[in-house]
Amino acid sequence: MDFTFTDDQLAFRDAVGRFLMTEAAPEMLRSVWESNSGRSPELRSRLAAQGLTALSVPEDKGGLGMDDVAWALMTQELGYYAIPDSLADTAYVAAGLVAALPSEVPARDRWLSQIAVGDIRVAVGHPVNPLVADARSADLLLLAHGDEVHAVPRAEVDVTVSASIDLSRRLGRVSWSPTAATRVANGEAGRALWADALDRGTLAVAGQALGLARRMLDLAVDYAAQRKQFGKPIGSFQAVKHHLADVATAIEFAKPVLYRAAYALAHGEPGASVRVSHAKLACCDAAWLAARHGIQVHGAMGYTWEVDLQMFMKRAWALDASWGDRGFHKSRLAEAILADGAALGPGHTFEVQA
């Protein structure tokens, strides 16, 4: 079996990376962070014009119909360039949730079409997240009431803003009243929708964390090559080399875990949730290590506003507890690997189908 990415998938990743490199320079990100909304309508429009808001929308609704594997590549680029936008929440998590709604929901097709062209920002209030990202700037909020899924217009929600260490994270605590008019799913269907949304949100965080780790490693390597001590670049010192090598190793070990989880989600495998939890833990560990060693390479100045490292470091810290904290995902993983008859070992990475 061939598990390498296709040429089209790699071309897609490279095209997204080139686009974000020109559209999301650190200087632009700082100006967006310091604005009242923390969002750039111009950047959002350019993302939509590139078709990035349409990735998960079915083709018959004006989208590209791409799967979770494509998002595993996409979210890494969003993390690498620290995009200050809720693109993954709307175009991946919310789009998947809306697409799975019963066809008799009147506004379902309209919402999908609006997501595809970038005309709507959707915030997802999953029960695992006490605060809702982009609740204040959303046009529509998908909120939970027990097992029920409610689609609530922004005008019907009160939002109390909550500060984050990462200025690009615009969080809010929401207050609202569920009604029959806003309910779009309940019972077993609602539980399944929220479970799927949790897996997609978790995978999106894992991909961004891996992208952040890559960016922080690149920044540390660049700084180590330029900063001199005792007449030599600090990157020539063995202790610094070991720090950076540890980060590079963590990143390489996290990549296959992320891709295996994306494959499991894309193919609806029964153990997908466990693999997604594993991916988040591995990718966030790599991001934490990259942040810690990046600071050690930069020194205390790495915390300052003027240095780019702090932007990516704060994003990694903030995302670490999003879509389930470490305790939550370690519990899911422990239940699977400690279960009687657990399929463990290299021979069980991909099960052979009869």
Side-chain angles (χ1 to χ4, degrees):
M1 299 178 71
D2 183 3
F3 297 114
T4 58
F5 291 107
T6 66
D7 290 341
D8 287 344
Q9 289 170 327
L10 295 176
F12 161 74
R13 180 199 63 189
D14 294 342
V16 171
R18 288 193 298 270
F19 169 74
L20 295 179
M21 180 173 59
T22 58
E23 297 292 340
E27 297 75 20
M28 185 278 287
L29 297 181
R30 285 186 176 84
S31 65
V32 173
W33 281 22
E34 293 178 311
S35 66
N36 290 331
S37 66
R39 296 291 175 262
S40 169
E42 294 78 14
L43 175 60
R44 184 73 167 196
S45 296
R46 290 194 288 269
L47 291 171
Q50 293 294 316
L52 302 185
T53 55
L55 294 183
S56 285
V57 176
E59 294 184 42
D60 60 349
K61 299 299 182 295
L64 301 177
M66 299 181 75
D67 64 7
D68 305 278
V69 175
W71 273 102
L73 296 172
M74 172 72 172
T75 51
Q76 287 185 68
E77 299 306 309
L78 295 180
Y80 190 88
Y81 293 100
I83 300 303
D85 195 272
S86 57
L87 178 65
D89 284 354
T90 294
Y92 181 39
V93 183
L97 199 160
V98 172
L101 289 175
S103 57
E104 57 266 22
V105 174
R108 172 181 173 271
D109 292 351
R110 173 167 56 85
W111 291 333
L112 288 172
S113 298
Q114 289 176 315
I115 290 173
V117 298
D119 283 349
I120 189 173
R121 187 187 298 271
V122 186
V124 181
H126 193 282
V128 79
N129 292 322
L131 302 174
V132 181
D134 278 289
R136 188 175 66 169
S137 59
D139 304 295
L140 180 72
L141 292 91
L142 299 175
L143 302 173
H145 179 65
D147 293 331
E148 298 175 350
V149 181
H150 288 257
V152 189
R154 173 64 180 86
E156 298 179 20
V157 178
D158 292 326
V159 179
T160 302
V161 175
S162 182
S164 171
I165 190 174
D166 172 15
L167 291 182
S168 70
R169 293 275 291 166
R170 298 304 167 109
L171 304 173
R173 193 175 300 277
V174 301
S175 300
W176 60 290
S177 299
T179 66
T182 60
R183 186 174 59 241
V184 292
N186 59 9
E188 185 61 35
R191 285 193 293 274
L193 287 171
W194 284 127
D196 290 343
L198 173 59
D199 286 342
R200 285 191 296 272
T202 302
L203 188 73
V205 168
Q208 290 179 74
L210 192 58
L212 289 164
R214 288 172 39 220
R215 184 63 176 270
M216 288 185 283
L217 176 61
D218 287 348
L219 290 171
V221 169
D222 289 345
Y223 183 79
Q226 298 171 16
R227 177 77 167 87
K228 291 186 177 181
Q229 198 170 46
F230 308 116
K232 296 181 179 179
I234 62 173
S236 65
F237 300 141
Q238 190 174 48
V240 175
K241 291 179 180 179
H242 286 176
H243 278 325
L244 300 179
D246 287 345
V247 177
T249 301
I251 291 172
E252 290 306 312
F253 273 87
K255 282 181 182 179
V257 181
L258 174 68
Y259 299 148
R260 182 63 183 91
Y263 180 95
L265 270 187
H267 292 81
E269 294 184 1
S273 295
V274 175
R275 295 193 182 278
V276 166
S277 288
H278 186 194
K280 184 171 189 283
L281 291 169
C283 294
C284 286
D285 279 349
W288 269 95
L289 188 67
R292 184 165 69 250
H293 286 344
I295 281 292
Q296 290 175 321
V297 170
H298 280 76
M301 66 177 292
Y303 286 105
T304 61
W305 180 255
E306 291 77 12
V307 176
D308 291 346
L309 178 68
Q310 55 87 22
M311 304 169 66
F312 306 94
M313 178 177 63
K314 291 173 182 175
R315 174 71 61 83
W317 291 344
L319 288 179
D320 188 74
S322 179
W323 292 96
D325 60 18
R326 286 172 179 258
F328 174 84
H329 290 290
K330 284 182 178 180
S331 294
R332 290 216 297 186
L333 196 58
E335 289 177 5
I337 65 176
L338 298 178
D340 293 338
L344 303 176
H348 297 284
T349 301
F350 286 92
E351 298 293 342
V352 178
Q353 301 297 320

